[in-house]
Amino acid sequence: GLKFWLLVEIAEPASKEMKWCQKLIVGLFLAVAMVQAQEGEDNEEPNYEEILNELDDDKDGKLSWEELSGTEEDGGMPNDVRPKYYERFQSQDADGDGFISLEELPDLLSAFEEVDDEEGAEGADKDEI
């Protein structure tokens, strides 16, 4: 399936973690834009069903942590940022089944953006030292 953090290569990241975070956010927006372009939509709410279908490798209608994170070796999420994103994954899994459903997906994507903002702030603080 399409992994949103592999969509765009960002030039000259501050760190490996920031490079992944930048890819994540840019990839999220590209995934939404691609879905909207395919449907001829503009400036509308993202089609979360399409996003889910793109990311859902086993096509079971829900996203597992493994489908979202991949492995660092295969270009997925770096190991050093996994705990922050996994914490958000678990917190957005409202029914506690270990998967993200269509209904939980919008909040998960927002939570991932918050982690990216936090990572960016931490990177900026390190640069000031």
Side-chain angles (χ1 to χ4, degrees):
L2 178 63
K3 299 294 185 224
F4 44 79
W5 49 83
L6 295 177
L7 292 175
V8 176
E9 192 69 31
I10 304 296
E12 300 181 42
S15 67
K16 185 177 180 180
E17 295 82 17
M18 284 304 302
K19 180 178 180 178
W20 183 84
C21 291
Q22 289 169 335
K23 284 183 178 183
L24 172 67
I25 296 304
V26 171
L28 287 172
F29 288 115
L30 284 176
V32 170
M34 286 173 31
V35 168
Q36 289 176 340
Q38 289 173 352
E39 296 177 357
E41 299 173 2
D42 192 26
N43 296 325
E44 293 183 19
E45 182 75 14
N47 184 329
Y48 292 108
E49 187 172 354
E50 262 319 297
I51 294 169
L52 178 80
N53 289 335
E54 288 292 327
L55 299 173
D56 184 15
D57 289 337
D58 62 8
K59 303 302 180 202
D60 63 355
K62 53 192 174 187
L63 297 176
S64 68
W65 171 245
E66 292 75 22
E67 286 172 315
L68 286 171
S69 65
T71 64
E72 188 170 15
E73 293 75 29
D74 70 10
M77 188 181 298
N79 293 332
D80 50 349
V81 297
R82 281 178 182 271
K84 290 181 181 182
Y85 285 93
Y86 185 64
E87 180 181 313
R88 297 297 171 98
F89 177 89
Q90 289 182 308
S91 71
Q92 298 307 314
D93 178 16
D95 59 11
D97 67 352
F99 297 94
I100 297 297
S101 67
L102 179 60
E103 293 77 23
E104 297 163 331
L105 185 59
D107 291 335
L108 177 71
L109 297 180
S110 294
F112 277 8
E113 285 184 53
E114 290 172 10
V115 172
D116 181 60
D117 291 343
E118 292 168 11
E119 287 292 314
E122 288 176 16
D125 291 343
K126 290 177 186 175
D127 290 343
E128 293 175 8
I129 297 174

